[in-house]
Amino acid sequence: MIPISQAPIYPQEILKTTSEYFKTSANSRNNSTAYAKFRDEISNYLNCKYVNLTCSGFSGLYTIMRAYDLKKGDEVIVPAYTCKDVLRLVTTMGLKLKLVDIEPYTYNMDPDSLNKEISSKTRVVIATHMFGYPCSIDKITEISHDHGAMVIEDACQSMGAEYKEKKVGTYGDAGLFSLNMGKPITTIHGGIVCTDDSELSNKVSAINDTFKKYGFMHQIKTFTYMFGYSLCNVNAFYSLVYSLMGNKNLGETNSISYSELGDLMYKYTEFQASLGVKQLSKLDAYNNARIKNASYLMENLDKDGLFFPEVSEQMKPAYSRFPIYFENISRENCNKLINSFINSGIEVTPYLPESLPHLYNEKSSDFPIAEQMTNKTLTVPTHPNMDKKDLDKIVEILNHRFHVLH
């Protein structure tokens, strides 16, 4: 089984990182040597002044919103198509959630919809770069700042992507990246908060300092996850894991980072930072492979009834996965198509099984594009471990099986 998303880690890489970590003196580990190196290299890579590392992407979002001193009932705008746990975190913190519609085929926040819904009551706008595809962050930031709202860029799926020759995550007041499984690079768990605002960075750092350190048993658990995840680079092993987990994606299953807010209040570890340094050095190579694979799909897929994001010259997507909108397909035929992929050994998912407005008791008619994209979109893999044979299999299924169903 070919996984839907993957940042390659290999067993020898895990073992080497572990060996290097334990060879380092306890004094060096206590002084957070690897943490500082990883943080500084991220800062240089993004060309961003201040970076904080967190135990997960959601922990990063939580610390940013706490650093903004948001009060219960403060309004936060979120796109109506994004990771559902972002919405859950906003509401769990007692904040007022407001959804805005998205653009067709980009799956990103529509600036025009934002302009209609934002007001002086809005404290924060969370702008997501879905699937590694940059949103119109300059317009979103301008609209938000005109109304006195702060912008958090959710670039969890998009590390390394660029918009107008600048890395996404560095346009807003704060940027957020995830290092969880299934992201562009991974340390199994982890998050990155970046900003050019020294006051905000100091507040995030101060909040992080109050969090607990993971115990020894949790670090053993993280190592076990790392080693198991590295074995999933072998498709046969991943097929076994996939079936044992009831046909659930490994990355998606474990990226649900919290059941309560206390789960977010832990520190990022030195051991993970050691692996992070190695992963960051490979990010551009991984993303170039994803871009190459996505380009191959766009060039070879029969576009009759299929739509996917158009790439303008001012954008460099990272393609953490490749979304495809099916113009005329029923839910029944959509499920048949998913089964065709699974039977062929390729993991394909709809990303959102149901619309976010529906989950939060909003009128679906108020978010027509998000509703439409949710119901008729499937995502296919583009990760670096795929070869031409895998891509040709995707093309064959979509160019033949889909049109039979269609």
Side-chain angles (χ1 to χ4, degrees), residues 120-332:
S120 59
K121 296 179 180 179
T122 306
R123 289 289 313 280
V124 170
V125 173
I126 299 176
T128 310
H129 302 282
M130 285 300 301
F131 308 125
Y133 188 84
C135 69
S136 301
I137 187 61
D138 51 351
K139 294 179 182 178
I140 291 170
T141 300
E142 182 180 2
I143 293 167
S144 301
H145 286 176
D146 284 348
H147 289 81
M150 310 299 285
V151 176
I152 301 174
E153 275 185 83
D154 178 353
C156 286
Q157 302 179 10
S158 305
M159 192 169 185
E162 297 179 5
Y163 182 72
K164 296 183 178 179
E165 300 183 341
K166 184 178 178 181
K167 294 286 193 294
V168 301
T170 63
Y171 277 86
D173 299 287
L176 178 70
F177 301 89
S178 175
L179 297 167
N180 283 17
M181 290 181 278
K183 298 305 188 290
I185 57 172
T186 183
T187 57
I188 305 304
H189 305 294
I192 300 165
V193 173
C194 69
T195 182
D196 285 336
D197 182 339
S198 61
E199 183 179 355
L200 175 63
S201 180
N202 288 337
K203 286 184 177 181
V204 168
S205 182
I207 293 167
N208 261 329
D209 286 344
T210 67
F211 292 170
K212 295 172 285 187
K213 287 186 177 181
Y214 282 122
F216 178 74
M217 290 308 298
H218 185 277
Q219 297 204 45
I220 293 295
K221 182 180 178 182
T222 298
F223 169 79
T224 304
Y225 269 131
M226 283 184 181
F227 197 77
Y229 187 78
S230 70
L231 293 176
C232 288
N233 284 278
V234 179
N235 289 339
F237 184 84
Y238 183 75
S239 297
L240 175 62
V241 173
Y242 184 79
S243 61
L244 290 175
M245 295 177 67
N247 295 351
K248 292 180 180 178
N249 171 254
L250 182 63
E252 289 178 347
T253 301
N254 287 285
S255 67
I256 300 173
S257 303
Y258 67 100
S259 58
E260 56 186 23
L261 292 181
D263 295 338
L264 304 178
M265 300 179 190
Y266 285 90
K267 297 179 186 290
Y268 191 68
T269 69
E270 274 285 290
F271 179 52
Q272 290 172 288
S274 299
L275 179 62
V277 171
K278 293 180 172 61
Q279 282 277 291
L280 184 62
S281 69
K282 302 175 183 180
L283 175 57
D284 286 342
Y286 288 169
N287 281 345
N288 287 337
R290 294 180 178 107
I291 292 168
K292 181 180 178 181
N293 291 340
S295 298
Y296 186 87
L297 293 175
M298 287 187 280
E299 290 167 4
N300 289 277
L301 285 172
D302 183 349
K303 297 176 180 61
D304 182 21
L306 303 182
F307 296 86
F308 25 82
E310 293 183 4
V311 182
S312 68
E313 291 183 357
Q314 62 187 5
M315 297 179 183
K316 183 182 178 183
Y319 290 117
S320 55
R321 58 175 77 182
F322 188 70
I324 302 174
Y325 174 78
F326 296 81
E327 185 176 31
N328 298 304
I329 192 170
S330 65
R331 185 169 292 276
E332 180 184 0

